[in-house]
Amino acid sequence: MSLMTLLTNDSLCKRPLTRLGVTLSPMRIPQDAMPISVLVALVNGWGTTPRREAGESGLPLPDGGSIAAGMALALPGEAFEERRLRRLADALYPVFATDEPDLRATQLTSLLSRFDIRPAVVATAGSLEEVWEVSDIEALSAAAVVTLRGQLLEPGPDRLGTCAGARCGDVYVDASPAGHRRFCSLICQNRARVAAFRRRRHAAKSVASQSMKA
């Protein structure tokens, strides 16, 4: 099944919004409710793997207000509780961690189902607008998943990744023209270059030392 087919699965439109057997009133989420930069900050700041790789597992979590401030949608304060942000970050991380488009499509479709997110169309000022419906308790999750879905479809699934730097598990979205990004930041990229240079220099010295002994 293709990426487009999985991410526009019509079966998602036919499920009622329920929680513990109770039908819930849907909340409408616009396409741009969460900027992609906020989504990346959420995964890196609250995700188990990025924090562990950075040696930050025992440190306090960031203030959820930073995520709330970056949203284009006002949500209640409980949406930004630590436990909710950690759960969401860990749910999103695997989509960045794989480099297989088919697996990314499957993971994203699973998230749409897990959080009961379904597409809808509304009339706005005489035109039609695509939105997403979800129970209000999962509005933040829906905003993140809808943003990630848009990123997978355009510019494409190959623009997500996790940092190749040592002791870093941060995620990134590659916006470079060539699409060859491998690091989450210039800091990690420069560290990797310095480490590679030192390895080459050490190897060259070892070869020279062996030649002198021969």
Side-chain angles (χ1 to χ4, degrees):
M1 188 176 292
S2 69
L3 175 65
M4 180 66 76
T5 300
L6 281 168
L7 296 188
T8 56
N9 192 334
D10 187 58
S11 65
L12 296 173
C13 304
K14 300 175 182 178
R15 293 179 289 100
L17 293 172
T18 61
R19 174 72 54 169
L20 299 178
V22 178
T23 301
L24 305 173
S25 299
M27 181 175 183
R28 287 173 176 168
I29 306 296
Q31 297 279 357
D32 57 354
M34 177 181 286
I36 190 67
S37 59
V38 174
L39 187 152
V40 169
L42 188 158
V43 176
N44 290 338
W46 282 264
T48 299
T49 299
R51 289 176 59 79
R52 182 182 65 242
E53 292 299 316
E56 299 175 352
S57 297
L59 299 180
L61 289 162
D63 182 3
S66 60
I67 301 299
M71 295 288 293
L73 180 71
L75 296 175
E78 56 264 28
F80 305 97
E81 293 175 351
E82 286 186 0
R83 63 182 181 85
R84 292 182 182 274
L85 293 174
R86 294 190 69 170
R87 181 193 67 155
L88 178 56
D90 287 343
L92 298 171
Y93 188 86
V95 184
F96 287 86
T98 182
D99 57 4
E100 296 294 333
D102 288 349
L103 182 54
R104 280 184 169 144
T106 300
Q107 291 170 334
L108 204 288
T109 301
S110 178
L111 290 175
L112 289 167
S113 177
R114 171 179 172 179
F115 296 119
D116 287 333
I117 308 167
R118 63 184 187 182
V121 177
V122 297
T124 305
S127 61
L128 298 181
E129 178 185 0
E130 182 183 15
V131 296
W132 297 81
E133 291 186 342
V134 67
S135 64
D136 56 358
I137 60 174
E138 295 293 5
L140 182 66
S141 299
V145 173
V146 167
T147 293
L148 195 53
R149 173 188 178 275
Q151 177 66 38
L152 287 176
L153 292 175
E154 181 63 40
D158 57 342
R159 290 303 182 117
L160 304 180
T162 55
C163 187
R167 298 183 299 279
C168 183
D170 280 7
V171 306
Y172 62 81
V173 174
D174 185 358
S176 66
H180 295 153
R181 183 173 177 176
R182 297 178 54 242
F183 299 94
C184 68
S185 65
L186 285 175
I187 294 176
C188 280
Q189 179 176 308
N190 290 337
R191 284 175 178 169
R193 287 178 175 175
V194 170
F197 170 76
R198 289 174 176 170
R199 287 194 298 270
R200 290 194 299 270
R201 184 174 61 179
H202 177 73
K205 287 182 177 179
S206 295
V207 172
S209 176
Q210 292 296 327
S211 298
M212 292 177 63
K213 292 179 180 179

